[in-house]
Amino acid sequence: TLANGKSHFVSYGTNKVHYVTVGRGRQTLVFVHCWAGNLDFWRAQVPAFADQARLILIDLPGHGQSDKPHTAYTMDFFAGAVLAVMNDAHVDKAVLIGHSMGGPVICSVYKQAPEKVTALVSVDGQMRRPQWTPEDAEKFVAAFRAPDYREHTSQFVGSLFPVPGTEALRDQVLSETLATPQYVMVGAMEGMFGPLQPDWDLKKVNVPVLVINARGRQWDGSYESYIHSLSAQTDYRMMDGVGHWLMLEKPGEFNATLREMLVKADLIAK
């Protein structure tokens, strides 16, 4: 379990980034959490994969047990933290698995250091930047700057748990989300959607691209076509009956799907 893991801190600039290592195997899987999340959101994946791979779970800067500086929380900044962790853990190459905002982060890692990436796995995350107008992007981010941001965040997170029976998990995720400082929440949203920020879109990828999304309206045919255009080794899956935190809502099904995809791409043994 995650409790069996070893906790580490690595210097990243003037800050410390926290990560946990657990398991062993020929392959390394690096897990990158969502906006305002933490490495514990991957807890249900640890027992499923620790016997087949070395797992590295990261608290991105501003999140979890990592330092929370007042800085620009760009996707490139987060990507640099992931690379710092990989270097500290003596990992030459790894499968990068990103949930939600973790998707843009792992794409940014690939842009910075493609030689460090064995495969990209996006879990209900945008692997290309949404085509919003600057006005729409600002309206979306501004709600998190407001004094009532906690209420807005509660509504936002709640909307991402549409399936009845997930209320207890929703409340737990919301509690951990609200532990993230407001300036980090805002900074990360600006890093993703601010009109002056660079996108993280990829053109061609020389490694497998694996995608597991919750079936929903935002994942249309054009997005699936984009994903298939990235790599000759693309595997695109949808899960039904889940919201945005699919790896916690249906961990058994999610883990089985991810395992099947990793085996098919020859990234872990059967």
Side-chain angles (χ1 to χ4, degrees), residues 108-124:
S108 298
V109 173
Y110 187 84
K111 278 191 168 185
Q112 291 185 28
E115 72 281 0
K116 303 284 285 185
V117 180
T118 306
L120 296 170
V121 183
S122 175
V123 179
D124 219 51

Side-chain angles (χ1 to χ4, degrees), residues 29-96:
L29 309 182
V30 174
F31 291 86
V32 182
H33 62 73
C34 60
W35 171 83
N38 60 69
L39 62 80
D40 189 59
F41 285 1
W42 296 109
R43 59 187 176 271
Q45 283 60 65
V46 173
F49 294 98
D51 62 338
Q52 291 187 300
R54 185 186 185 203
L55 313 183
I56 298 178
L57 302 94
I58 302 173
D59 279 332
L60 292 172
H63 301 77
Q65 296 183 47
S66 292
D67 286 350
K68 301 170 178 62
H70 287 267
T71 190
Y73 285 97
T74 65
M75 300 305 101
D76 286 340
F77 178 68
F78 288 138
V82 173
L83 289 168
V85 166
M86 291 176 66
N87 289 335
D88 189 64
H90 306 291
V91 175
D92 292 329
K93 298 186 76 168
V95 175
L96 304 184

Side-chain angles (χ1 to χ4, degrees), residues 35 63 73 75 78 101 183-192:
W35 171 83
H63 301 77
Y73 285 97
M75 300 305 101
F78 288 138
M101 185 186 76
Y183 65 87
V184 176
M185 289 184 175
V186 173
M189 284 296 191
E190 289 175 341
M192 280 189 284

Side-chain angles (χ1 to χ4, degrees), residues 12-43:
Y12 177 47
T14 59
N15 303 292
K16 298 290 187 184
V17 175
H18 175 246
Y19 69 98
V20 170
T21 56
V22 62
R24 61 177 57 192
R26 66 177 177 90
Q27 189 63 263
T28 299
L29 309 182
V30 174
F31 291 86
V32 182
H33 62 73
C34 60
W35 171 83
N38 60 69
L39 62 80
D40 189 59
F41 285 1
W42 296 109
R43 59 187 176 271

